[in-house]
Amino acid sequence: AQSVTQLDSQVPVFEEAPVELRCNYSSSVSVYLFWYVQYPNQGLQLLLKYLSGSTLVESINGFEAEFNKSQTSFHLRKPSVHISDTAEYFCAVSRKDTGRRALTFGSGTRLQVQP
Amino acid sequence: GAGVSQSPSNKVTEKGKDVELRCDPISGHTALYWYRQRLGQGLEFLIYFQGNSAPDKSGLPSDRFSAERTGESVSTLTIQRTQQEDSAVYLCASSPPGQGEIYGYTFGSGTRLTVV
């Protein structure tokens, strides 16, 4: 089975400051890794994903995440946040070896960007 | 449709009543998932449909929960004899066959179920 741990339930940060949202996972098999974002009153949206290749992946709105296999981590970072980044962020994994591809999610981190 | 549509968006029901939650996936998406999101927690997988294959029901928490899907279209999640612990947001997601990990799943906005 897989598990995902997001240690920080809430992360308050000032606008234009850098931020890191932590994600660690546990799995007996290789996994794909994802970050989803849920803006207030909206559904979850895929932010970025790691499937293979370069361990550093980027989103179109300035977020990046780095897959670290030895530390089983996939932390999300942004060098300068905006008010509009206020949302809940979920880290998720899915097994590479099955066809179901159901996601296992962490409990989420609420990013609160303050002016 | 353009996105995954779920209805109702909010549902308040009395303990012991049955409820039905509906999900309209994106046209052409053969894979459909139901998840449950309890307050302050991550999403829990409930059930998975893939085309005409037998559904994967391994995430259903009890026999009070069931789901159906007609072909590759609408899915209904039914909760019988609701309990207060069933209060949560129920999310539906769909993806093209075998491509969820590439393109990402498309989630609906969810149904917020409150059992009083």
Side-chain angles (χ1 to χ4, degrees):
Chain A
Q2 297 77 49
S3 66
V4 178
T5 302
Q6 293 181 247
L7 289 172
D8 306 305
S9 59
Q10 294 189 66
V11 174
V13 63
F14 288 107
E15 194 173 18
E16 298 183 4
V19 71
E20 179 179 78
L21 307 183
R22 295 178 293 170
C23 172
N24 288 87
Y25 70 93
S26 174
S27 177
S28 57
V29 299
S30 295
V31 295
Y32 299 117
L33 296 126
F34 305 85
W35 276 98
Y36 279 82
V37 58
Q38 187 173 31
Y39 297 104
N41 302 313
Q42 296 186 29
L44 275 80
Q45 303 172 32
L46 178 66
L47 184 62
L48 47 74
K49 59 183 181 266
Y50 172 77
L51 304 182
S52 64
S54 172
T55 57
L56 183 66
V57 290
E58 299 177 353
S59 73
I60 58 173
N61 57 354
F63 282 94
E64 65 178 30
E66 186 160 21
F67 168 54
N68 188 318
K69 187 174 182 179
S70 62
Q71 297 185 6
T72 59
S73 68
F74 192 54
H75 302 329
L76 181 70
R77 296 188 292 261
K78 189 170 185 179
S80 176
V81 295
H82 301 287
I83 296 287
S84 59
D85 293 325
T86 295
E88 185 129 25
Y89 292 79
F90 293 93
C91 182
V93 301
S94 69
R95 296 172 64 122
K96 286 188 177 182
D97 64 340
T98 69
R100 191 182 77 183
R101 309 287 189 226
L103 295 165
T104 300
F105 285 86
S107 56
T109 298
R110 185 170 299 278
L111 177 63
Q112 299 167 309
V113 182
Q114 304 164 14
Chain B
V4 177
S5 177
Q6 291 188 247
S7 60
S9 55
N10 280 283
K11 176 72 177 179
V12 180
T13 189
E14 292 181 354
K15 179 180 174 181
K17 300 281 189 182
D18 298 351
V19 295
E20 279 191 357
L21 312 179
R22 178 186 168 105
C23 171
D24 275 290
I26 293 174
S27 178
H29 281 196
T30 58
L32 186 147
Y33 300 80
W34 283 98
Y35 290 86
R36 177 171 70 177
Q37 184 179 19
R38 286 173 160 158
L39 187 64
Q41 298 183 25
L43 281 72
E44 304 169 68
F45 165 75
L46 296 177
I47 189 168
Y48 162 65
F49 295 92
Q50 173 58 63
N52 294 317
S53 303
D56 178 348
K57 305 179 182 181
S58 61
L60 295 178
S62 76
D63 58 8
R64 296 187 294 106
F65 287 72
S66 62
E68 294 182 350
R69 187 181 187 194
T70 306
E72 297 180 355
S73 60
V74 172
S75 176
T76 303
L77 177 68
T78 302
I79 308 173
Q80 296 178 310
R81 306 182 301 282
T82 52
Q83 305 294 313
Q84 288 185 330
E85 69 215 35
D86 299 333
S87 296
V89 176
Y90 289 83
L91 290 163
C92 177
S94 70
S95 75
Q99 297 180 32
E101 69 275 14
I102 298 174
Y103 299 108
Y105 307 85
T106 302
F107 281 85
S109 297
T111 294
R112 183 176 299 277
L113 176 66
T114 303
V115 182
V116 298

